[in-house]
Amino acid sequence: MVGQHMAESHDEHDRAGTSKGAGPSHQQNVEQNGGAHANETQHNFEPGVKVICITSFDGQAHPAEVLEKKLDRGETFYYVHYLDCDKRLDEWVLADKLTPWSLTPRQSLARCDTLPTGDLLSPTAIDANLKVTRRFKRKFEEIHHVIADDHGGDHGHEKEHHAPKVKNIQVIEFGKFDMDTWYYSPYPEPYASQSKLYVCEYTLKYFRKKKTLLRHLAKLDIRHPPGDEIYRSPPPPPGQPNYVGGPVASPPISVFEVDGKKAKVYCQNLCLLSKLFLDHKTLYYDVDPFLFYVLCERDSSGYHMVGYFSKEKNCSEEYNLACILTLPCYQRKGYGKFLIAFAYELSKREGRIGTPERPLSDLGQLSFRSYWSKVLLEQLRNVKGDVSIKEISDATFIRGQDIVDTLQGLGLIKYWKGTHLIHADPKVVQEHYAKFASQRMIDVDSTALHWQPLPTPTARKRP
């Protein structure tokens, strides 16, 4: 569920216009089929039909399914879901972007990044001229955002039971930003049928018109989330007003703990907003059992929400995080990893090993894997001699299986005679660490965290 979507208003959401050469020309159809009527029939696609579509984000042919069609100003538009890509890339296209599935010839593979995806439903598809290796499959998944589950699959069960929905709201105005949305969100009518919504960044109330939002802001007195401010980033050192590093952030940041039971409307609005950017999110209205930790940038005009994570108040599992999001307009600033680090800091206060609730989004998986890698490499750099998985877990509060998976990806662990052995060559560890050292990350200052865990009998106290 983690959504951490790491780019501002992506170019992948810019919609392209018509394309010449997306199918047979009108003249060819007249010659082959006896008139213009054959051309119209060829491009009349009904919802549920599989097609090949030229995308706006890479200009390549991808297998797709038509979900809906509409008539706008005399032209027919089709809403397509790309079968080999994340649903955030779904879009409206004109008919000349589409060709029938059966008319696309198969081609041999030259390079992975120029893959002719005509008849490929998945990276495991094989024909007479195409040999798919594990290396190619991994590269294919990276390029086309295919999400793999813990067992190496692609969430086929989710695709079967959760059919893609047509994205209803296209754009939201949030503070000083206009953001293209990524997914469908179940806003109530008449708001759900608006192509653009105006959302207050302080209360998260939503409006159909800008003037209504402005009237709301004019009467607004409280400009922060309705909860307790439990963390405030420390100021820069004396005499260095422009210093940024460690826990010092510019602009300064704060974290608020919001109780879903006490601030129900705010938390419900937060869930509706986050669903625009998280595909797997299912919680919208039953927010009472959850706490929401809202991260804000702080300035003279108020506290501007940049992201959040939620967690259950009393969770019998090891989950220290249920859902996480950094808004697209605030991504690539280190806020995602800060939220992850903050969740583990709360786990330390609780005395519990933590792990995020599954499934993770593709970008959430990358964020957690990056965070785990950096933390584990820091531990291995400071360890002399052998160290066990349990010892690392006790020091970092990261679940043992997450440690094993991460170290396997780094090539720093081996499985021998029924047990995992950490093989941490100092030179190799340093080489890996150098790749993560330059990543932007805001540290959590534990002395600035004013928070105590809820009393629970399941908490495992540590000395």
Side-chain angles (χ1 to χ4, degrees):
M1 295 177 72
V2 179
Q4 288 238 326
H5 305 298
M6 299 291 148
E8 269 187 59
S9 301
H10 294 296
D11 293 339
E12 65 194 23
H13 297 283
D14 295 335
R15 302 304 183 220
T18 61
S19 172
K20 298 178 182 178
S25 67
H26 173 75
Q27 181 63 31
Q28 289 173 327
N29 280 317
V30 171
E31 294 174 357
Q32 296 174 8
N33 302 307
H37 177 72
N39 188 49
E40 293 178 2
T41 303
Q42 179 183 351
H43 292 92
N44 184 21
F45 301 100
E46 296 298 328
V49 171
K50 300 291 194 304
V51 295
I52 302 301
C53 182
I54 304 296
T55 70
S56 67
F57 51 87
D58 66 1
Q60 300 296 316
H62 289 258
E65 178 183 357
V66 176
L67 300 183
E68 191 172 305
K69 69 176 182 178
K70 67 179 181 180
L71 189 65
D72 187 10
R73 299 178 183 178
E75 291 189 288
T76 303
F77 289 82
Y78 297 89
Y79 192 82
V80 296
H81 165 60
Y82 298 109
L83 301 178
D84 57 354
C85 300
D86 188 271
K87 284 189 285 187
R88 64 175 170 271
L89 301 178
D90 296 356
E91 59 183 340
W92 289 98
V93 298
L94 285 167
D96 66 350
K97 292 283 187 180
L98 307 177
T99 56
W101 185 275
S102 60
L103 295 184
T104 303
R106 296 184 177 184
Q107 303 175 21
S108 59
L109 178 64
R111 289 176 51 195
C112 181
D113 56 357
T114 58
L115 176 65
T117 55
D119 274 340
L120 295 181
L121 280 173
S122 74
T124 57
I126 300 177
D127 64 31
N129 298 316
L130 176 60
K131 181 179 180 180
V132 179
T133 64
R134 284 188 297 178
R135 180 177 178 275
F136 163 75
K137 181 176 181 291
R138 185 169 59 250
K139 182 66 174 176
F140 184 100
E141 292 172 347
E142 291 174 358
I143 292 175
H144 299 286
H145 306 289
V146 177
I147 307 173
D149 62 19
D150 292 339
H151 304 287
D154 61 353
H155 292 296
H157 59 288
E158 293 181 10
K159 294 181 180 179
E160 179 181 350
H161 295 97
H162 302 281
K165 293 185 177 181
V166 176
K167 184 171 63 178
N168 46 355
I169 299 161
Q170 305 298 315
V171 180
I172 64 167
E173 181 177 308
F174 189 82
K176 60 183 179 181
F177 300 100
D178 278 354
M179 289 184 284
D180 292 335
T181 61
W182 294 357
Y183 305 107
Y184 166 88
S185 182
Y187 278 91
E189 291 291 354
Y191 305 96
S193 57
Q194 301 294 308
S195 61
K196 182 175 183 177
L197 278 186
Y198 300 87
V199 181
C200 173
E201 62 178 332
Y202 304 112
T203 65
L204 304 186
K205 291 183 178 180
Y206 42 90
F207 307 90
R208 290 185 295 164
K209 298 179 180 180
K210 178 68 172 288
K211 63 180 181 181
T212 314
L213 171 62
L214 294 177
R215 286 201 299 266
H216 167 77
L217 290 173
K219 297 183 290 185
L220 193 63
D221 295 326
I222 299 176
R223 297 188 173 232
H224 61 74
D228 299 324
E229 185 179 10
I230 62 173
Y231 182 86
R232 178 175 291 192
S233 61
Q240 303 180 53
N242 297 323
Y243 175 83
V244 175
V248 179
S250 179
I253 58 176
S254 294
V255 177
F256 287 79
E257 182 183 65
V258 184
D259 191 327
K261 188 174 183 179
K262 296 179 181 178
K264 182 173 295 187
V265 174
Y266 177 91
C267 295
Q268 289 174 344
N269 290 342
L270 177 58
C271 291
L272 290 172
L273 173 65
S274 63
K275 181 62 184 74
L276 292 171
F277 306 101
L278 295 174
D279 185 20
H280 299 292
K281 186 169 182 59
T282 56
L283 169 70
Y284 312 124
Y285 300 110
D286 184 20
V287 295
D288 289 14
F290 290 86
L291 294 170
F292 296 80
Y293 295 89
V294 184
L295 174 63
C296 300
E297 287 185 350
R298 190 173 72 248
D299 62 22
S300 58
S301 63
Y303 294 77
H304 310 277
M305 175 193 157
V306 304
Y308 84 102
F309 72 88
S310 61
K311 62 180 296 185
E312 288 190 70
K313 296 175 183 176
N314 297 298
C315 181
S316 59
E317 306 292 336
E318 294 180 325
Y319 300 139
N320 63 351
L321 183 150
C323 186
I324 183 171
L325 171 72
T326 302
L327 291 172
C329 56
Y330 291 104
Q331 291 171 358
R332 297 193 180 276
K333 295 185 177 181
Y335 291 139
K337 292 187 181 67
F338 174 85
L339 286 170
I340 295 173
F342 197 88
Y344 277 99
E345 187 64 34
L346 299 187
S347 293
K348 293 178 183 179
R349 293 284 180 96
E350 293 174 326
R352 298 169 59 120
I353 301 297
T355 189
E357 187 174 336
R358 270 62 170 185
L360 296 171
S361 69
D362 55 342
L363 298 176
Q365 177 71 39
L366 291 174
S367 297
F368 269 94
R369 187 58 58 89
S370 177
Y371 170 80
W372 290 330
S373 296
K374 186 171 183 179
V375 170
L376 296 179
L377 289 170
E378 287 177 344
Q379 286 290 318
L380 294 178
R381 290 176 74 219
N382 299 323
V383 167
K384 303 295 183 181
D386 296 332
V387 62
S388 67
I389 300 295
K390 185 180 184 304
E391 288 173 333
I392 295 180
S393 180
D394 289 343
T396 62
F397 286 78
I398 299 174
R399 189 182 64 163
Q401 187 60 51
D402 296 332
I403 294 174
V404 171
D405 293 342
T406 303
L407 293 181
Q408 282 179 337
L410 296 172
L412 296 176
I413 195 170
K414 295 182 178 180
Y415 190 75
W416 189 69
K417 290 187 177 180
T419 186
H420 288 96
L421 301 176
I422 296 178
H423 182 67
D425 183 286
K427 184 178 180 180
V428 176
V429 170
Q430 185 57 38
E431 289 176 355
H432 281 301
Y433 184 78
K435 300 175 184 177
F436 294 95
S438 60
Q439 292 183 357
R440 186 170 185 178
M441 186 168 177
I442 304 171
D443 295 334
V444 178
D445 183 356
S446 59
T447 63
L449 174 60
H450 303 284
W451 181 86
Q452 291 297 325
L454 294 172
T456 169
T458 60
R460 179 159 55 91
K461 299 296 183 181
R462 293 179 178 272

